[in-house]
Amino acid sequence: MYGATDYPPDDATVAMILSSSSNAAATDVGGDVIKDGTIQSFSADVINASMERPVIVDFWAPWCGPCKTLTPTLEKLVRQAKGAVRLVKINIDENQTLAAQLRIQSVPTIYAFVGGQPVDGFVGAQPESKLKAFVDDLVGSAGAGAGDPLADAVEQGQAALDRGDFKAAAKAFSAVLAQDPDNAKAVAGMIRSYAGVGNATAARRLIDGLTADVKRHPEVLTALAAVELVEQSKKGGDVGRLRAAVAARPDDAQNRLDYALALYGSGDAPAAIDELLHLIRADRTWNDEAARKQLVKIFDALGHAHPTTVAARRRLSTILFS
C-alpha cells in the first residue's frame, strides 16, 4: 500500500530514531497490543516489538478529522486480531521530532513494521474493509514464515549480517535467491553482504538485474545506502594524507569528514565512527548535519544489531541529549 506515499522510512532514518530512543515504556492504553508511543519508546515498542509480531504505527493529531474515524477502527481490528498484531499511536503534536524524522507530511499516516523494518503503509482515511485487509495481510505474512526453509535461510543470513559475518550471510542469501530471485529480503541482504566486504561493483550488478518492483521495495531501497557509502568512501582519498591534514587543522570539519570516509573505505569502521562523533560533538548542524547522516549510513551498512553499531549508537545518544 506504499503507493499512497513517497516517503516510507528507511533504515538510516530508523537508525537515527533508535539513537534518540531510550527504550522507555509507553503508556499502555489497551492491554499490551495498543499503546501510546513517543520517540523515547519507539525502539522498544516498534523496532524491538516488531521482531516478535507486526506493529502498526498510527501517526495522528487531535485536530485531524479523519483520524477520529480511522484510529478507533484500527483499534477494533487490532483487538480482533487477538494479539497477532500490535498498534502504537503517535500524537504528532507531542512528538514533532519523531514525526519529522519519519517524514510525516500529513495525518493520518500509517506504517507497518515487521522484523524491525518498515514493510507497508498508507496516508489518509481508508474504509474499514481496506483496513481489515491491511491488518489481515500483516497477520498472514507474519505467520507465513513458520516452518518455511527459505524464511529460515533469510533469518540465518540476517543473523550473520548482524554479527558482521558477511561471507556467511552471502551464502545464506544466495541459497534463497537461487530458488526465489525476487525475494526482497534476500536481495537486500545480499546487497548488504557485498557492501560489507566493500564490493560495490557486485552489488551494482545485482541491483541492475532487479525488477522494478523489487527495486522499489523498502528494504532494498535502504540497502542501497550501504552501497552508496562504500562507493563514497572509496573516493575519500589517502588515509595517511588526510590524517596529516586533520592533525594540521583539527578544526577543519571537511578534512575530518573526508578522513572519516577514507577510514571507513580502508575497513576501519570504528575509527571512522570516532571521527564522525567528534564532528557531531563539535557542531552537529554543520553542513546540514553531514556527519550524523554519514554515521547513520554506517549504522545501516553494519546492521543495527552489530556490536559496533550498538556501542556507537549509545555514544551518539549521549552527545545528542547531553
Side-chain angles (χ1 to χ4, degrees), residues 28-103:
D28 192 337
V29 295
D32 65 348
V33 296
I34 300 176
K35 294 184 175 183
D36 286 328
T38 66
I39 192 170
Q40 289 78 22
S41 69
F42 193 87
S43 175
D45 288 339
V46 177
I47 304 300
N48 294 343
S50 71
M51 298 294 183
E52 301 175 1
R53 72 188 82 172
V55 176
I56 297 170
V57 185
D58 174 12
F59 288 89
W60 67 284
W63 42 263
C64 167
C67 299
K68 296 176 182 178
T69 301
L70 184 143
T71 298
T73 304
L74 270 180
E75 291 178 347
K76 180 182 75 172
L77 294 171
V78 167
R79 289 191 181 99
Q80 288 176 353
K82 301 184 184 301
V85 64
R86 291 173 171 147
L87 174 65
V88 175
K89 301 185 296 181
I90 308 274
N91 181 337
I92 64 167
D93 286 354
E94 297 176 354
N95 296 276
Q96 295 181 16
T97 299
L98 178 59
Q101 289 176 350
L102 281 173
R103 293 170 285 185

Side-chain angles (χ1 to χ4, degrees), residues 53-54 56 81 84-85 114 119 132-146 148 151:
R53 72 188 82 172
I56 297 170
V85 64
V114 174
V119 297
K132 187 176 188 307
F134 178 73
V135 173
D136 289 346
D137 285 346
L138 283 174
V139 173
S141 65
D148 183 344

Side-chain angles (χ1 to χ4, degrees), residues 142-302:
D148 183 344
L150 291 184
D152 290 344
V154 170
E155 289 185 7
Q156 292 171 9
Q158 186 59 54
L161 277 182
D162 290 342
R163 64 176 183 266
D165 190 344
F166 300 113
K167 291 184 178 180
K171 182 177 180 181
F173 292 129
S174 63
V176 175
L177 293 175
Q179 300 182 56
D180 183 6
D182 291 333
N183 187 305
K185 289 182 179 292
V187 169
M190 182 61 79
I191 292 171
R192 293 178 189 279
S193 300
Y194 283 137
V197 296
N199 193 343
T201 301
R204 286 294 178 187
R205 281 201 301 267
L206 174 60
I207 293 163
D208 290 343
L210 299 176
T211 65
D213 286 343
V214 175
K215 283 183 181 179
R216 287 194 295 266
H217 192 279
E219 292 190 44
V220 175
L221 286 173
T222 55
L224 294 179
V227 179
E228 291 168 359
L229 178 62
V230 171
E231 292 171 334
Q232 187 178 14
S233 66
K234 289 184 181 299
K235 300 175 183 178
D238 178 73
V239 172
R241 179 183 62 80
L242 289 167
R243 182 185 297 115
V246 169
R249 300 177 61 187
D251 294 330
D252 188 316
Q254 187 61 54
N255 274 347
R256 195 174 291 274
L257 179 64
D258 292 343
Y259 179 42
L261 290 174
L263 284 168
Y264 184 83
S266 72
D268 195 347
I273 288 170
D274 286 344
E275 297 302 326
L276 292 171
L277 288 172
H278 179 98
L279 280 171
I280 295 169
R281 187 181 295 108
D283 181 1
R284 69 185 65 173
T285 63
W286 173 76
N287 196 18
D288 193 24
E289 298 188 274
R292 182 192 59 75
K293 290 176 180 178
Q294 290 297 335
L295 187 60
V296 295
K297 284 184 180 180
I298 292 178
F299 291 169
D300 180 62
L302 294 177

